[in-house]
Amino acid sequence: KAGVTQTPRYLIKTRGQQVTLSCSPISGHRSVSWYQQTPGQGLQFLFEYFSETQRNKGNFPGRFSGRQFSNSRSEMNVSTLELGDSALYLCASSQDSGSYNEQFFGPGTRLTVL
Amino acid sequence: AQSVSQHNHHVILSEAASLELGCNYSYGGTVNLFWYVQYPGQHLQLLLKYFSGDPLVKGIKGFEAEFIKSKFSFNLRKPSVQWSDTAEYFCAVNDPGTASKLTFGTGTRLQVTL
């Protein structure tokens, strides 16, 4: 079974631009969660989608948004990029929603904002 | 809000030494507890998890962790480390009422020398 895939793997943007990151979960998995990883803040939860609905949201500004499609693939969007948005963005998928389901992480998309 | 503390940021051990990495969490209610590992250049992967029952849980690669409710701790142990255990280790907690949201500690970088 193929693992979680994320595209693109690397991205360079400038302040004020917007960016869309994509995540394809493991086949059969219906829950997708997004995390931001930075050296200073560590891993922080952004949001979770399950059956095309946002189940939970972390403490991030409204510039961070996401969605999930009927095939469970998910995208996250960051508008009006700031320097502080530079980070590794990780996607994790699980069969169902809830912590009793093991989450499988992808390799991440490294976003650099100049 | 939940928080997770990992007091050891960087640990250096010789092969065959014993390992204990500390993890403390702040949430007083029922929690699910996890240890994840990130080997160099690889994805985050689950080492072990605790939901309920026997507070001593065994994971992959000879790792184990003990849940001590009175101390809000979930320390990771391994009797004898190998060079291949060099990685970053993350403790995480989940409030079962928050779907799949994981709150991570800042991580401990383990370096095992030959």
Side-chain angles (χ1 to χ4, degrees):
Chain A
K1 226 184 216 183
V4 178
T5 58
Q6 292 187 246
T7 56
R9 293 292 311 277
Y10 302 91
L11 208 46
I12 299 175
K13 292 285 188 179
T14 55
R15 277 181 301 173
Q17 288 187 307
Q18 76 165 19
V19 67
T20 299
L21 312 181
S22 181
C23 171
S24 292
I26 291 172
S27 177
H29 284 194
R30 297 186 295 162
S31 170
V32 173
S33 297
W34 289 88
Y35 293 84
Q36 181 196 65
Q37 186 175 20
T38 59
Q41 300 294 320
L43 280 146
Q44 293 187 287
F45 174 80
L46 279 154
F47 27 64
E48 180 201 359
Y49 285 88
F50 177 75
S51 293
E52 300 179 67
T53 302
Q54 190 179 85
R55 289 292 312 272
N56 206 344
K57 191 177 191 307
N59 295 325
F60 280 83
R63 300 185 296 108
F64 291 81
S65 63
R67 60 178 176 168
Q68 186 180 35
F69 302 94
S70 57
N71 62 357
S72 294
R73 190 176 69 85
S74 177
E75 288 181 348
M76 68 163 279
N77 184 275
V78 189
S79 63
T80 321
L81 284 166
E82 300 177 0
L83 295 178
D85 296 333
S86 293
L88 182 67
Y89 290 88
L90 295 174
C91 166
S93 78
S94 60
Q95 202 152 18
D96 286 299
S97 181
S99 66
Y100 299 99
N101 297 275
E102 180 176 348
Q103 294 190 47
F104 295 83
F105 283 82
T109 294
R110 185 162 298 281
L111 171 65
T112 302
V113 182
L114 302 175
Chain B
Q2 296 171 357
S3 66
V4 179
S5 298
Q6 291 183 245
H7 309 295
N8 315 103
H9 297 295
H10 190 191
V11 173
I12 302 174
L13 294 173
S14 300
E15 261 203 335
S18 64
L19 169 73
E20 180 159 4
L21 300 182
C23 171
N24 289 89
Y25 63 94
S26 65
Y27 187 66
T30 301
V31 292
N32 295 327
L33 298 155
F34 307 83
W35 275 97
Y36 282 84
V37 61
Q38 190 169 32
Y39 297 102
Q42 295 188 28
H43 309 178
L44 264 175
Q45 56 183 283
L46 184 66
L47 260 184
L48 47 79
K49 60 191 176 190
Y50 173 78
F51 294 156
S52 63
D54 187 345
L56 185 62
V57 292
K58 296 191 183 301
I60 61 171
K61 305 187 181 185
F63 285 92
E64 63 179 33
E66 185 175 14
F67 169 55
I68 303 179
K69 190 174 181 180
S70 60
K71 294 184 178 180
F72 297 93
S73 71
F74 190 55
N75 292 355
L76 181 71
R77 300 195 293 245
K78 187 171 184 179
S80 174
V81 295
Q82 300 174 307
W83 179 80
S84 58
D85 292 325
T86 294
E88 190 150 17
Y89 294 81
F90 295 90
C91 181
V93 302
N94 167 270
D95 169 0
T98 60
S100 299
K101 177 186 175 181
L102 292 170
T103 300
F104 283 89
T106 51
T108 297
R109 188 174 298 278
L110 172 65
Q111 186 178 344
V112 180
T113 61
L114 296 171

